Amino acid sequence: MSTRKPRNNALLALMLAVASFLSISAIVRTALGAEIVVAEEEQLRHGKVLYASYCSGCHGVNGDGQGPAAAMLIVKPRDFTSGLFKFRSTPNGTLPTDADLMRTITRGVNRTSMPEWSLLPERERMALVQYVKSFYPGFAESGPGRPIFIPAPPATLGSPESIARGRQLYEMLECGRCHGPNGLGDGPSAATLAPDSWGNPQKPFNFTKGALKSGAAPEDVYRTFMTGLNGTAMPSYADVFDEPDGENVKPGDAWNLVSYVLSLRTPSRPGTQVASEEGAAVNAAYRGDLARAGYTAPLPEPAQAGANKESKP
Amino acid sequence: MKVRWTGGVRRLAMAALAAAVLVPGAAHAQGKITGKVSLSGAAPTAPKLKMDADPVCAAAHPDGAAAEDLIVGSGGGVEYVFVYLKEGVKGTFPAKTDPAVIDQKGCLYGPRVVGLQVGQPLKFTNSDQTLHNVHGMPKVNAPWNFAMPKFVKQKENKDLTKPEVMIHVKCDVHPWMSGYVGVLEHPFFAVTDKDGNFTIEGVPPGEYTVEAWQEKLGAQTAKVKVDAGAPAKQDFTFKPS
């Protein structure tokens, strides 16, 4: 028991230190907090004004996706009040990060009526992100999910070996049940898919048509099958790849599936553009790797060179 | 004698404490509620499911499989009705740590309806050599949708943290696969067997509102008084819709 005393003293000292730090930081926080609250309210007011002019026509003043133009659109505008967001870096079933919403606003959504808003100043897009979040209380209550880790793509991305292995995975994981044996979106379950969570018809993606709705970069494909698309039939394959059994799925196999999916793109088809500096930066980074690997499938040209300013939530 | 606060003693004390907390009613005699859920009139014939789109599913049912959204047995008993105490439960009841299990077998959920407690894991197993996706569409809890390729044999959802009756679970690959999960703060629920019978065990004496829920027939409630040691009886009869 004699050894216990010094340890207890050390523990006491540590606790005192922590307690004093906490109380000091609490004072600092309170002063800072008032300013933050004011800034947040100002941002929301700003976002509301911007939303009314740019977004409400489709997404509706109440954020329910029932704007006056909604009825005329084939792909329906997102209902922000449902708390279901398709394009996320966060695990299935969770809410997107600010960076996710920022990416969607900045890039737009391929093959839909949602345009890219990269011409809006960054602070206006950030204000819109905050305002869009105000339509669903879950953002304030539980916050977004924790983004998944997307490792750097390997030099083998797009190589014939990687594409061949990706094809094996595509068959083993039965992606073709919905997306079809050759990725044309015509699998046996495609015709029987029930409406999505918003009651709209859903179609599995035809990979030969070009870019995914949320982007053309390899990273976009990776993110999509790892997190799934909330509100739709597309599930998450995170467990399959994150905890590879070594027998069917091996570490690093996720990028092989990306290689195969990207190889299905028809070069002449339009719709592969990523019109945002963020997407362009992501693609530019991959371009070097792909060129070294002898990957020749077309990747979108950078629309505008620029650093990825949106990665901070 | 000085008791040394060793790991063994600590574990023993914790176990005693846990027993005292976890089984508050252990000293009292508990009641139970039994009954039968029936559908009046002639039993409807369940339509056959069309599983051709996936040969693995079709092969599992050489004689065809019947729809399970309303199963009425001989004597009018209705299977897969979720019967639970809706109101009147007092106290807190720690969740079981072992999961409630739904097996995906022959491209059907077995069982189609389960109950579990808030915080209790919900486990899905895949006995089929085909891809299923498990798509939960709660309104209160967090939604989920994970793929279970044929070599992924089990997966647990540990995020059911709020009471919700019922959560619809489906497989988008096989549109006939549909199940329901009831999440409660207490363990007083049951799912009817093939004859429509149920027993809710270990109910503390008291007055309760009991609800019987069925996906096609809807829900009925009844006031039930439970006495110590004596089974209370409560039947439910639905009319064809």
Side-chain angles (χ1 to χ4, degrees), chain A residues 100-116:
Chain A
D100 288 330
L101 297 171
M102 191 70 172
R103 187 179 56 242
T104 301
I105 292 172
T106 305
R107 288 180 170 186
V109 179
N110 289 322
R111 290 170 291 105
T112 75
S113 311
M114 172 71 178
E116 53 158 307

PDB file of all heavy atoms in Angstrom, chain A residues 100-116:
ATOM      1  N   ASP A 100     -19.305  18.142 -47.003  1.00  0.00           N
ATOM      2  CA  ASP A 100     -20.093  17.376 -47.974  1.00  0.00           C
ATOM      3  C   ASP A 100     -21.135  18.268 -48.659  1.00  0.00           C
ATOM      4  O   ASP A 100     -21.303  18.238 -49.880  1.00  0.00           O
ATOM      5  CB  ASP A 100     -20.810  16.208 -47.287  1.00  0.00           C
ATOM      6  CG  ASP A 100     -19.860  15.095 -46.873  1.00  0.00           C
ATOM      7  OD1 ASP A 100     -18.836  14.908 -47.543  1.00  0.00           O
ATOM      8  OD2 ASP A 100     -20.172  14.405 -45.884  1.00  0.00           O
ATOM      9  N   LEU A 101     -21.860  19.035 -47.835  1.00  0.00           N
ATOM     10  CA  LEU A 101     -22.889  19.918 -48.392  1.00  0.00           C
ATOM     11  C   LEU A 101     -22.245  20.987 -49.272  1.00  0.00           C
ATOM     12  O   LEU A 101     -22.749  21.330 -50.343  1.00  0.00           O
ATOM     13  CB  LEU A 101     -23.692  20.566 -47.256  1.00  0.00           C
ATOM     14  CG  LEU A 101     -24.485  19.585 -46.387  1.00  0.00           C
ATOM     15  CD1 LEU A 101     -25.073  20.291 -45.168  1.00  0.00           C
ATOM     16  CD2 LEU A 101     -25.602  18.929 -47.188  1.00  0.00           C
ATOM     17  N   MET A 102     -21.100  21.481 -48.821  1.00  0.00           N
ATOM     18  CA  MET A 102     -20.349  22.483 -49.585  1.00  0.00           C
ATOM     19  C   MET A 102     -19.952  21.911 -50.949  1.00  0.00           C
ATOM     20  O   MET A 102     -20.058  22.590 -51.971  1.00  0.00           O
ATOM     21  CB  MET A 102     -19.105  22.863 -48.771  1.00  0.00           C
ATOM     22  CG  MET A 102     -18.382  24.054 -49.290  1.00  0.00           C
ATOM     23  SD  MET A 102     -19.325  25.573 -49.038  1.00  0.00           S
ATOM     24  CE  MET A 102     -18.106  26.759 -49.534  1.00  0.00           C
ATOM     25  N   ARG A 103     -19.503  20.655 -50.956  1.00  0.00           N
ATOM     26  CA  ARG A 103     -19.081  20.033 -52.208  1.00  0.00           C
ATOM     27  C   ARG A 103     -20.259  19.933 -53.173  1.00  0.00           C
ATOM     28  O   ARG A 103     -20.134  20.226 -54.360  1.00  0.00           O
ATOM     29  CB  ARG A 103     -18.501  18.637 -51.922  1.00  0.00           C
ATOM     30  CG  ARG A 103     -17.877  17.960 -53.138  1.00  0.00           C
ATOM     31  CD  ARG A 103     -17.288  16.599 -52.804  1.00  0.00           C
ATOM     32  NE  ARG A 103     -18.272  15.727 -52.198  1.00  0.00           N
ATOM     33  CZ  ARG A 103     -18.186  15.221 -50.974  1.00  0.00           C
ATOM     34  NH1 ARG A 103     -17.148  15.469 -50.219  1.00  0.00           N
ATOM     35  NH2 ARG A 103     -19.140  14.457 -50.494  1.00  0.00           N
ATOM     36  N   THR A 104     -21.417  19.495 -52.651  1.00  0.00           N
ATOM     37  CA  THR A 104     -22.589  19.340 -53.521  1.00  0.00           C
ATOM     38  C   THR A 104     -23.028  20.686 -54.087  1.00  0.00           C
ATOM     39  O   THR A 104     -23.325  20.808 -55.276  1.00  0.00           O
ATOM     40  CB  THR A 104     -23.743  18.672 -52.741  1.00  0.00           C
ATOM     41  OG1 THR A 104     -23.298  17.392 -52.279  1.00  0.00           O
ATOM     42  CG2 THR A 104     -24.962  18.486 -53.628  1.00  0.00           C
ATOM     43  N   ILE A 105     -23.042  21.727 -53.240  1.00  0.00           N
ATOM     44  CA  ILE A 105     -23.440  23.057 -53.717  1.00  0.00           C
ATOM     45  C   ILE A 105     -22.429  23.563 -54.741  1.00  0.00           C
ATOM     46  O   ILE A 105     -22.795  24.085 -55.797  1.00  0.00           O
ATOM     47  CB  ILE A 105     -23.553  24.044 -52.529  1.00  0.00           C
ATOM     48  CG1 ILE A 105     -24.737  23.655 -51.633  1.00  0.00           C
ATOM     49  CG2 ILE A 105     -23.706  25.477 -53.037  1.00  0.00           C
ATOM     50  CD1 ILE A 105     -24.825  24.453 -50.343  1.00  0.00           C
ATOM     51  N   THR A 106     -21.156  23.363 -54.452  1.00  0.00           N
ATOM     52  CA  THR A 106     -20.108  23.888 -55.327  1.00  0.00           C
ATOM     53  C   THR A 106     -20.079  23.179 -56.674  1.00  0.00           C
ATOM     54  O   THR A 106     -20.000  23.808 -57.729  1.00  0.00           O
ATOM     55  CB  THR A 106     -18.732  23.741 -54.642  1.00  0.00           C
ATOM     56  OG1 THR A 106     -18.800  24.388 -53.367  1.00  0.00           O
ATOM     57  CG2 THR A 106     -17.637  24.377 -55.467  1.00  0.00           C
ATOM     58  N   ARG A 107     -20.163  21.848 -56.632  1.00  0.00           N
ATOM     59  CA  ARG A 107     -20.062  21.064 -57.872  1.00  0.00           C
ATOM     60  C   ARG A 107     -21.374  20.957 -58.621  1.00  0.00           C
ATOM     61  O   ARG A 107     -21.391  20.684 -59.807  1.00  0.00           O
ATOM     62  CB  ARG A 107     -19.646  19.628 -57.539  1.00  0.00           C
ATOM     63  CG  ARG A 107     -18.232  19.442 -57.110  1.00  0.00           C
ATOM     64  CD  ARG A 107     -18.057  17.964 -56.841  1.00  0.00           C
ATOM     65  NE  ARG A 107     -16.667  17.606 -56.630  1.00  0.00           N
ATOM     66  CZ  ARG A 107     -16.257  16.355 -56.485  1.00  0.00           C
ATOM     67  NH1 ARG A 107     -17.133  15.365 -56.537  1.00  0.00           N
ATOM     68  NH2 ARG A 107     -14.992  16.088 -56.301  1.00  0.00           N
ATOM     69  N   GLY A 108     -22.488  21.067 -57.901  1.00  0.00           N
ATOM     70  CA  GLY A 108     -23.757  20.700 -58.497  1.00  0.00           C
ATOM     71  C   GLY A 108     -23.886  19.192 -58.514  1.00  0.00           C
ATOM     72  O   GLY A 108     -23.017  18.477 -57.987  1.00  0.00           O
ATOM     73  N   VAL A 109     -24.972  18.696 -59.096  1.00  0.00           N
ATOM     74  CA  VAL A 109     -25.203  17.250 -59.147  1.00  0.00           C
ATOM     75  C   VAL A 109     -25.308  16.847 -60.615  1.00  0.00           C
ATOM     76  O   VAL A 109     -26.215  17.309 -61.321  1.00  0.00           O
ATOM     77  CB  VAL A 109     -26.468  16.849 -58.370  1.00  0.00           C
ATOM     78  CG1 VAL A 109     -26.690  15.348 -58.452  1.00  0.00           C
ATOM     79  CG2 VAL A 109     -26.362  17.298 -56.910  1.00  0.00           C
ATOM     80  N   ASN A 110     -24.390  16.023 -61.063  1.00  0.00           N
ATOM     81  CA  ASN A 110     -24.358  15.607 -62.469  1.00  0.00           C
ATOM     82  C   ASN A 110     -25.681  14.974 -62.904  1.00  0.00           C
ATOM     83  O   ASN A 110     -26.302  14.245 -62.149  1.00  0.00           O
ATOM     84  CB  ASN A 110     -23.225  14.595 -62.699  1.00  0.00           C
ATOM     85  CG  ASN A 110     -21.851  15.247 -62.613  1.00  0.00           C
ATOM     86  OD1 ASN A 110     -21.675  16.373 -63.057  1.00  0.00           O
ATOM     87  ND2 ASN A 110     -20.896  14.547 -62.018  1.00  0.00           N
ATOM     88  N   ARG A 111     -26.045  15.240 -64.129  1.00  0.00           N
ATOM     89  CA  ARG A 111     -27.246  14.661 -64.749  1.00  0.00           C
ATOM     90  C   ARG A 111     -28.540  15.014 -64.022  1.00  0.00           C
ATOM     91  O   ARG A 111     -29.506  14.280 -64.079  1.00  0.00           O
ATOM     92  CB  ARG A 111     -27.114  13.133 -64.880  1.00  0.00           C
ATOM     93  CG  ARG A 111     -26.073  12.728 -65.930  1.00  0.00           C
ATOM     94  CD  ARG A 111     -25.764  11.251 -65.906  1.00  0.00           C
ATOM     95  NE  ARG A 111     -25.062  10.870 -64.717  1.00  0.00           N
ATOM     96  CZ  ARG A 111     -25.602  10.218 -63.707  1.00  0.00           C
ATOM     97  NH1 ARG A 111     -26.853   9.843 -63.764  1.00  0.00           N
ATOM     98  NH2 ARG A 111     -24.884   9.920 -62.645  1.00  0.00           N
ATOM     99  N   THR A 112     -28.537  16.107 -63.309  1.00  0.00           N
ATOM    100  CA  THR A 112     -29.773  16.596 -62.682  1.00  0.00           C
ATOM    101  C   THR A 112     -29.881  18.091 -62.961  1.00  0.00           C
ATOM    102  O   THR A 112     -29.002  18.681 -63.595  1.00  0.00           O
ATOM    103  CB  THR A 112     -29.775  16.396 -61.160  1.00  0.00           C
ATOM    104  OG1 THR A 112     -28.911  17.375 -60.563  1.00  0.00           O
ATOM    105  CG2 THR A 112     -29.305  15.007 -60.772  1.00  0.00           C
ATOM    106  N   SER A 113     -30.933  18.695 -62.443  1.00  0.00           N
ATOM    107  CA  SER A 113     -31.128  20.132 -62.635  1.00  0.00           C
ATOM    108  C   SER A 113     -30.318  20.965 -61.661  1.00  0.00           C
ATOM    109  O   SER A 113     -30.345  22.185 -61.728  1.00  0.00           O
ATOM    110  CB  SER A 113     -32.610  20.469 -62.457  1.00  0.00           C
ATOM    111  OG  SER A 113     -33.387  19.592 -63.228  1.00  0.00           O
ATOM    112  N   MET A 114     -29.629  20.315 -60.736  1.00  0.00           N
ATOM    113  CA  MET A 114     -28.857  21.067 -59.737  1.00  0.00           C
ATOM    114  C   MET A 114     -27.566  21.572 -60.363  1.00  0.00           C
ATOM    115  O   MET A 114     -26.673  20.785 -60.698  1.00  0.00           O
ATOM    116  CB  MET A 114     -28.566  20.163 -58.543  1.00  0.00           C
ATOM    117  CG  MET A 114     -27.608  20.751 -57.520  1.00  0.00           C
ATOM    118  SD  MET A 114     -28.316  22.114 -56.561  1.00  0.00           S
ATOM    119  CE  MET A 114     -26.937  22.471 -55.466  1.00  0.00           C
ATOM    120  N   PRO A 115     -27.471  22.890 -60.576  1.00  0.00           N
ATOM    121  CA  PRO A 115     -26.263  23.420 -61.215  1.00  0.00           C
ATOM    122  C   PRO A 115     -25.122  23.554 -60.214  1.00  0.00           C
ATOM    123  O   PRO A 115     -25.324  23.456 -59.020  1.00  0.00           O
ATOM    124  CB  PRO A 115     -26.711  24.798 -61.694  1.00  0.00           C
ATOM    125  CG  PRO A 115     -27.780  25.202 -60.745  1.00  0.00           C
ATOM    126  CD  PRO A 115     -28.418  23.939 -60.210  1.00  0.00           C
ATOM    127  N   GLU A 116     -23.944  23.810 -60.740  1.00  0.00           N
ATOM    128  CA  GLU A 116     -22.823  24.109 -59.845  1.00  0.00           C
ATOM    129  C   GLU A 116     -22.923  25.575 -59.425  1.00  0.00           C
ATOM    130  O   GLU A 116     -23.321  26.429 -60.198  1.00  0.00           O
ATOM    131  CB  GLU A 116     -21.500  23.849 -60.547  1.00  0.00           C
ATOM    132  CG  GLU A 116     -21.391  24.555 -61.876  1.00  0.00           C
ATOM    133  CD  GLU A 116     -19.959  24.757 -62.311  1.00  0.00           C
ATOM    134  OE1 GLU A 116     -19.157  25.304 -61.542  1.00  0.00           O
ATOM    135  OE2 GLU A 116     -19.665  24.367 -63.442  1.00  0.00           O
TER     136      GLU A 116
END
